[in-house]
């Protein structure tokens, strides 16, 4: 039996993608909705197997709290997105905008913001106290936002060709979510190449995409670098979308090694087709000084630990630089609480390839590095110089390494300094986090605070929440702040998720409760959300995650008590 060569395999994948584009052009809106509904049902059916394999990939002990991360960031994120995208398609079928029923308001800089969370009664109950707005680009009017929503689904027959989607290896919902966005929003057929780390999930991905695979509009494959490069370069592949590292992006666009560096310097890309990307970055956690109770200090310290240690730090939006005020009289108490939170979070392996080398480099670069405990890898880099070119400001460690820097000031004075520092010193623009007591928010005023947010150039901004909540919000946009170019790519170009299919999304702003229920009521948040299931200290995260998947598969009042019962024990 003859074995296919790499060029032959690349030809076959590209030919199938070309046939898939033609087939997709014949699929009506209603049929596309039905395919997505079937996809959602298959995700629910495959959820347990999906989590079992992800648990093995990441070296987790089955049925322990860290497995909850796999339920929430894997099948739940995928299922929740599919269900919401179905609603957007249904509105287009009815001749209305996906934005019908969503409020729009003006925000600073000539922008309009559309409120995407909470929207349903389930949002109000399951994510009580959380909200999200998509801020659109300056000059986009409310009428334009509504009339252009739909992207490629506004003309489903006008398919835009073929696309290779390069799946990420860290979060298992990224590959299917990116594929769905390219398929529906960009209106292209999809050749989904898996990251080698997630190759063992191929049977699950093939199972959930079966309706699309049978139609010929999606194919899922594993490959080595040679085949991947051949498919990307194939003339019948019209576009590329990737989630990964800046180094991988540059190797694709400019070429590998010295040749790629020379091409980049000369401005002569090797890749001459459109490429969109989400590439991570160095995410700040800005802590606005205020008068916090001891329980506030402990809770928000655990919040910081979650931003850093979720998925063992192997997240493109993991918090990496903690920005605190040197003028805050509770600074040392808070940093002590952060050290405790990092050390007491449940142990889990630093599973992502290359983590040990990156941690070693971080410790060598910062002589003051502290090994905080919990696992051997957890590292704090205290007292980073805000005026120096610290490696932690430009290197995405993709592991359990947290830097700390201090700036002077209080209130809005400190916050403006922190915004400038984050914009000017930290590499990338994917996500930024702000922790601020409601008392300080009231003191600044809502309009003034929005003006501060306007100046923070990040694709997702989370206030008293982690930007990972933006990833989990199906109607929010997800991607870098607009403006990057191929020769200065940083966090990438374009967005995904964006369940309302907005044409000019600029950023998403997430807001959450400063305190969990029931203490949230003391600050006027009126939130019912206990310790969220994505918190690394949550004791019932695995049970809550599994019940969230079951609920999203078929929402109903009878399922809510089981979800709440588990969540409240967390």
């Amino acid at each position: 039996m003859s074995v296919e060569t790499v060029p032959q395999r690349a030809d076959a994948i590209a030919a199938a993608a070309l046939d898939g584009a033609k087939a997709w052009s014949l699929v009506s809106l209603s049929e596309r909705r039905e395919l997505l509904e079937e996809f959602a049902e298959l995700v629910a059916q495959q959820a347990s197997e999906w989590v079992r394999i992800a648990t093995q990939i990441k070296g987790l002990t089955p049925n322990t709290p860290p497995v909850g991360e796999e339920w929430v960031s894997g099948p739940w994120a995928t299922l929740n997105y599919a269900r919401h995208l179905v609603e957007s398609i249904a509105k287009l079928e009815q001749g209305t905008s996906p934005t019908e029923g969503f409020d729009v308001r003006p925000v600073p800089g000539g922008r309009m913001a559309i409120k995407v969370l909470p929207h349903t009664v389930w949002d109000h109950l399951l994510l009580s106290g959380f909200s999200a707005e998509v801020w659109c680009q300056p000059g986009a009017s409310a009428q334009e936002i509504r009339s252009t929503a739909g992207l490629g689904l506004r003309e489903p027959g006008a398919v835009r060709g073929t696309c290779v989607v390069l799946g990420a290896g860290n979060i298992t919902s990224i590959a299917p979510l990116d594929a769905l966005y390219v398929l529906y929003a960009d209106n292209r057929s999809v050749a989904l190449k898996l990251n080698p780390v997630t190759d063992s999930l191929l049977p699950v991905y093939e199972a959930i995409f079966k309706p699309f695979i049978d139609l010929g509009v999606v194919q899922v494959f594993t490959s080595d670098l040679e085949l991947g490069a051949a498919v990307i370069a194939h003339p019948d592949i019209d576009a590329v979308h990737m989630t990964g590292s800046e180094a991988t992006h540059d190797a694709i666009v400019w070429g590998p090694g010295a040749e790629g560096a020379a091409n980049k310097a000369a401005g002569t890309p090797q890749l001459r087709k459109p490429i969109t990307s989400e590439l991570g970055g160095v995410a700040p956690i800005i802590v606005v000084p205020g008068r916090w109770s001891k329980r506030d200090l402990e809770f928000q310290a655990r919040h910081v630990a979650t931003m850093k240690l979720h998925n063992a730090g192997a997240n493109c939006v993991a918090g990496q630089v903690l920005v605190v005020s040197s003028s805050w009289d509770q600074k040392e108490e808070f940093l002590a609480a952060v050290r405790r939170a990092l050390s007491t979070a449940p142990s889990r392996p630093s599973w992502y390839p290359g983590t040990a080398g990156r941690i070693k480099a971080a410790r060598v670069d910062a002589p003051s590095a502290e090994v905080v405990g919990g696992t051997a890898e957890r590292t704090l880099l205290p007292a980073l110089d805000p005026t120096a070119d610290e490696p932690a400001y430009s290197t995405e460690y993709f592991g359990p390494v947290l830097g700390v820097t201090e700036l002077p000031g209080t209130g809005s004075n400190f916050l403006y300094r922190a915004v400038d520092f984050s914009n000017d010193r930290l590499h990338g623009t994917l996500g930024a986090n702000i922790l601020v007591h409601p008392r300080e928010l009231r003191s600044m005023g809502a309009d003034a605070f929005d003006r501060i947010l306007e100046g923070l150039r990040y694709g997702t901004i989370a206030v008293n929440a982690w930007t990972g909540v933006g990833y989990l919000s199906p109607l929010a946009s997800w991607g870098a702040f607009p403006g990057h170019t191929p020769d200065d790519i940083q966090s990438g170009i374009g967005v995904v998720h964006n369940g309302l299919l907005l044409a000019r999304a600029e950023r998403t702003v997430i807001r959450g409760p400063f305190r969990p229920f029931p203490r949230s009521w003391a600050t006027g948040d009126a939130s019912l959300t206990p310790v969220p299931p994505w918190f690394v200290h949550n004791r019932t995260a695995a049970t809550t995650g599994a019940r969230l998947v079951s609920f999203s598969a078929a929402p109903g009042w009878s399922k809510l008590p089981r979800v709440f019962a588990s969540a409240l024990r967390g």
Side-chain angles (χ1 to χ4, degrees), residues 69-85:
E69 296 178 9
E70 302 313 312
W71 280 103
V72 171
S73 67
W76 185 68
T78 307
L79 179 59
N80 204 29
Y81 179 74
R83 294 293 191 198
H84 282 78
L85 188 56

Side-chain angles (χ1 to χ4, degrees), residues 375-423:
T375 68
E377 298 85 4
R378 294 177 188 174
T379 304
L380 190 73
L381 310 178
L384 298 176
D385 186 344
T387 65
D389 292 329
E390 299 275 11
Y393 300 162
S394 58
T395 304
E396 184 183 8
Y397 290 125
F398 220 64
V401 179
L402 179 67
V404 182
T405 194
E406 298 181 17
L407 301 171
T410 59
S412 59
N413 178 271
F414 166 79
L415 193 46
Y416 274 116
R417 284 194 175 103
V419 166
D420 288 343
F421 168 82
S422 300
N423 286 338

